[in-house]
Structure formats: structure tokens, C-alpha cells
Amino acid sequence: MSRPSEFDLIRDCFSSGYPAANDLLLGIGDDCSLIRPPADMELAQSIDTQVAGVHFPTDAPGNLIASRALRCAVSDLAAMGAVPQGFHLALTLSDNNEDFLQDFASGLRLTANTLGIPLLGGDTTYGKHLTISVAVQGWLPRGLGLRRDAARAGQDVWLTGKVGAAALVLDDILRDPTRDDQETAPYYHPRVHLSFGHLLLSLATSAIDISDGLIQDARHIANASGVILNLDATAIPTAVSPEHSRWRECLTGGDDYQLLFTAPQSARERIEACALTAGLNHCARIGHVEEGEPDVCVRKNGELLIFEQEGYTHFNR
């Protein structure tokens, strides 16, 4: 029995079952997707690539891989405060295993509907390693996108929730990549803060999602804004207590997809109200911004903490 062709895969796995988009003029099946842009809006775009054996276990189930890949990509829209418009998918497959593709497509459809983001099109190719690239885009009111370069001295530093759960469960996932339960959810099904990110458009001054580690990603804001981020370690919501032997990994492990953002002190009450509206249990004020040479300073009971590695890097492993 012959294997399904590339076009069969597209038709069977990716042509239906995804959310509809009112601004989509032409989607899957042509050379490009065509989008009708709303008036007075800007288009936010991002792309995220995940490689088997690097970003997820090679033998992880397709539906879990799909959930993780799409959620990680859409989190960039949340960090900018954008409303999702759609996504493109590029798959490099080592073989066209129909069972795997059906499982992958099932997880992708479920996640896309959960996040409310339509599939606009994509590409499939052959290669030695399974590689998933997801390009996402969304709409923003003109001039209101949350960037990394607008943190200012005197502002607060906030974090939407606990960090560290995904990093601490990774060893268990590597032992059993099929495990799909409450403990592995932070890794395979990270929460994407789309609604809260959009609420921050009128409140926050800068934002980033925590993908590579809290300390490392905080440094991106510090460098882009030319400021010091002073963080109180005891105020940071973490998966384990500061007395735990693996507590430091919570600050550097990454894969959290919480939002780190800065905002004026005058916005505190409104941010707390928005956090309640968005159902956030651990949105916390974890520090403040100061003038000075760009840096991230983490203090625990007054002691400055030093981290040999601040987060995940691809080429220093």
C-alpha cells in the first residue's frame, strides 16, 4: 500500500477543523494566504522553530508536540499584546507516517481552537530530523504594541505566574515522553496569556515572554531599555520554595511562557484588577527599574545572587 503524498497529507490533516478568520480572503491551497487588514491596526509577526531532540523528545507523541509548538509560538503574540490573526506551519518530516501526522494534526486543531488562531497555510518537506516552524501573526492598535525598549526608572517589574515547573519536570518527560498529566502540562501545554497581554496594552511599558529563563529574558528588557532591573528573589512566584535544592533552576530553566513586564507605579491597582479578570493566581510585583548600566540584579534577603548560567542558549550547551 502506497504512502500518502504531500498533498494527501495537507488535505487530510490540515485543510479543515481550524477556527475561521473573518479577515482571511484566501487560505490553504494557494501560493499565499490573503488577509484583509483592519483600519488603524498594525500586524505583529513572529516565527518559532522546534527541532526533535533539541526542543522536545524525539519519541514524544504528535499531539503533545503540536500543542507545545503552537503555544510557544503564540506566546510571542501575547507578549506584544496582539490579538491572534492566524498562523502558518512548516513541517520537515523524516517520513510521512500517517498515524503520527493524524495525531499531530489532532493536537494542532485542538490547540488552535483553544487559542482561537486559524491555520492559514504552510509547507511540508523531507529531512533527517522532525522540525516544526510556526509563524504567527496578530493585530494591534496602531502604536500600542508592547516592546522591550520602553522600561523606565521608577517603574515596577511584574510576572504573571510561577516559573520553574517546566524545567523541573523535564527529566521525568525525557524518561517517559508520552506522559500527559497535570505535572507535565507546563511543558507540553503552557498557558498562553493572550487576554491578559491585550489588557496590558494601556498599562504596561515593556514586556517579554519567559521562554529561555527569567534572568536571561529579563536581561533582554534591561539591554533594550538601557536600565537596571532589580528583582526581589523572595517575591518571584516559583514552582518550589527558595529553600529547595533546585530553586535556582526555576529562575534560569525557561519554558515558562509567563509574561515579564514593566509598568508605572500608578497602574498597580488596575493591573491587579486585570489579573483577576484574566484568572491569574500568581501575578506578582517582583522588582523595580533603576537608571544605570543595563543589568539584571537578583537579591535574596539583601544578598546579590550570582548565576553562572542565566538561561538556555542553543550554542553553549
Side-chain angles (χ1 to χ4, degrees), residues 13-316:
C13 296
F14 303 111
S15 62
S16 63
Y18 296 89
N22 295 330
D23 50 14
L24 179 63
L25 300 176
L26 184 63
I28 295 172
D30 218 303
D31 292 310
C32 296
S33 57
L34 297 178
I35 312 297
R36 181 191 296 110
D40 298 320
M41 301 293 276
E42 294 176 343
L43 184 65
Q45 295 178 307
S46 180
I47 189 167
D48 188 77
T49 297
Q50 301 203 8
V51 181
V54 178
H55 300 94
F56 55 85
T58 55
D59 48 355
N63 65 313
L64 301 184
I65 295 171
S67 173
R68 173 174 164 79
L70 185 54
R71 287 173 179 275
C72 292
V74 174
S75 182
D76 284 332
L77 295 180
M80 190 68 69
V83 174
Q85 187 279 322
F87 73 101
H88 290 85
L89 171 70
L91 278 178
T92 298
L93 303 167
S94 56
D95 66 71
N96 57 345
N97 183 307
E98 188 171 7
D99 290 339
F100 172 83
L101 260 295
Q102 292 288 357
D103 191 35
F104 180 92
S106 175
L108 191 70
R109 282 192 296 269
L110 176 61
T111 306
N113 280 284
T114 299
L115 299 178
I117 185 166
L119 176 61
L120 306 176
D123 191 25
T124 56
T125 59
Y126 168 79
K128 292 184 178 180
H129 304 287
L130 172 62
T131 303
I132 306 163
S133 292
V134 179
V136 295
Q137 56 191 39
W139 299 118
L140 282 163
R142 186 174 298 172
L144 292 184
L146 296 175
R147 300 156 53 127
R148 301 178 182 180
D149 61 358
R152 297 293 181 263
Q155 295 178 350
D156 295 324
V157 181
W158 293 78
L159 185 65
T160 53
K162 290 183 179 181
V163 292
L168 296 187
V169 80
L170 181 57
D171 289 342
D172 292 338
I173 289 173
L174 293 176
R175 283 190 289 269
D176 180 11
T178 67
R179 183 177 165 188
D180 184 18
D181 55 27
Q182 186 174 357
E183 289 187 9
T184 62
Y187 181 84
Y188 281 129
H189 312 290
R191 180 174 181 178
V192 183
H193 296 286
L194 283 168
S195 61
F196 186 68
H198 194 64
L199 290 172
L200 289 177
L201 284 178
S202 61
L203 300 172
T205 54
S206 65
I208 190 171
D209 70 324
I210 308 302
S211 56
D212 295 326
L214 174 63
I215 309 302
Q216 181 165 290
D217 288 330
R219 192 169 292 280
H220 292 319
I221 289 181
N223 290 339
S225 298
V227 295
I228 301 170
L229 296 192
N230 278 295
L231 307 183
D232 178 0
T234 61
I236 298 171
T238 50
V240 293
S241 70
E243 292 71 37
H244 195 280
S245 61
R246 299 186 67 186
W247 174 77
R248 281 176 171 250
E249 292 179 52
C250 294
L251 307 187
T252 62
D255 276 334
D256 300 298
Y257 300 97
Q258 302 293 347
L259 300 185
L260 179 76
F261 61 97
T262 61
Q265 296 181 21
S266 59
R268 289 177 182 177
E269 290 186 2
R270 286 176 291 165
I271 289 171
E272 290 170 350
C274 288
L276 287 175
T277 299
L280 302 186
N281 296 322
H282 299 97
C283 191
R285 186 157 38 92
I286 65 169
H288 62 278
V289 184
E290 287 185 2
E291 291 183 356
E293 193 70 21
D295 201 359
V296 177
C297 299
V298 185
R299 289 182 171 83
K300 183 181 178 183
N301 300 322
E303 177 190 356
L304 182 64
L305 302 183
I306 304 299
F307 296 84
E308 292 184 6
Q309 184 171 331
E310 296 186 339
Y312 178 85
T313 57
H314 286 277
F315 299 104
N316 292 313

